């Protein structure tokens, strides 16, 4: 019957759901990182006063918001033109969101030091979830192939 067709039709919204979860985890990790670096001191000063960590905080904010906007764009495309025509946007967020979340969570872990990888925080669990979601609904390579194929088709149509 139409089982495969129905399953494929649900993948787009499901993939967006995964990306929204990843954005939420990244937000939580950033919040934890900011709180940690303001409270933890080294050499008599909060870590936040040291140069490197402020770059990590700023970069994390930029990357989270980039993925949030790309996810909202993909959702809007699904609403406006349907899953099939929104495939490239959905594939882009499936590559971007897990990779972004992994980087943000990793930076948060770094701000905690050894405590970031033990059971005392949720960060190690979040990292494992983010890494797993890079594989959910197909690995990055599958989505990159979809993105490239659709981009080449779009550019060819312009010729």
């Amino acid at each position: 019957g139409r089982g495969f067709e129905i399953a494929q039709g649900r993948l787009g919204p499901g993939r967006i759901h995964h990306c929204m979860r990843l954005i939420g985890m990244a937000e939580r990790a950033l919040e934890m990182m900011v709180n940690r670096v303001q409270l933890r001191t080294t050499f008599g000063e909060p870590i936040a006063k040291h140069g490197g960590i402020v770059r990590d905080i700023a970069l994390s904010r930029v990357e989270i918001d980039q993925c949030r906007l790309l996810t909202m764009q993909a959702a809007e495309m699904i609403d406006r033109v349907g899953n099939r025509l929104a495939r490239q946007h959905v594939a882009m967020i499936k590559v971007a969101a897990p990779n972004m979340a992994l980087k943000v969570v990793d930076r948060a872990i770094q701000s905690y030091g050894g405590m970031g990888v033990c059971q005392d925080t949720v960060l190690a669990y979040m990292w494992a979830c983010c890494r797993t979601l890079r594989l959910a609904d197909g690995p990055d390579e599958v989505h990159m192939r979809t993105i490239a194929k659709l981009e080449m088709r779009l550019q060819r149509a312009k010729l």
Side-chain angles (χ1 to χ4, degrees):
R2 295 183 49 225
F4 182 75
E5 177 187 343
I6 292 168
Q8 288 294 314
R10 294 181 184 186
L11 283 178
R15 288 175 174 152
I16 286 178
H17 175 77
H18 288 315
C19 294
M20 291 186 306
R21 289 176 48 212
L22 288 159
I23 291 165
M25 280 189 262
E27 283 286 359
R28 178 68 177 122
L30 177 58
E31 178 184 312
M32 291 174 70
M33 177 174 31
V34 169
N35 290 337
R36 177 69 172 174
V37 302
Q38 290 176 339
L39 298 174
R40 184 173 174 215
T41 60
T42 58
F43 308 110
E45 290 188 316
I47 297 173
K49 298 255 180 178
H50 303 300
I53 197 69
V54 295
R55 181 185 179 282
D56 287 349
I57 292 168
L59 194 54
S60 295
R61 169 50 55 213
V62 168
E63 291 168 350
I64 291 168
D65 285 354
Q66 284 174 333
C67 280
R68 177 178 287 113
L69 290 170
L70 190 57
T71 301
M72 289 169 56
Q73 183 183 34
E76 188 271 334
M77 288 282 296
I78 287 175
D79 285 346
R80 195 166 42 82
V81 298
N83 291 345
R84 184 164 156 39
L85 294 177
R87 278 184 318 188
Q88 186 176 31
H89 287 81
V90 172
M92 287 190 287
I93 62 170
K94 268 301 289 154
V95 172
N99 284 291
M100 170 280 297
L102 274 170
K103 287 189 265 184
V104 172
V105 171
D106 188 67
R107 290 179 195 125
I109 288 171
Q110 194 69 22
S111 73
Y112 274 78
M115 185 179 172
V117 293
C118 72
Q119 301 297 318
D120 292 343
T121 73
V122 71
L123 292 170
Y125 173 77
M126 289 168 71
W127 190 92
C129 287
C130 294
R131 185 63 184 95
T132 302
L133 285 173
R134 272 190 70 196
L135 299 170
D137 297 324
D140 291 355
E141 292 79 10
V142 170
H143 298 295
M144 296 290 266
R145 188 176 70 225
T146 297
I147 295 164
K149 186 172 84 174
L150 293 170
E151 185 64 26
M152 288 187 288
R153 186 180 300 156
L154 178 70
Q155 295 301 326
R156 199 174 325 121
K158 290 180 181 179
L159 295 177

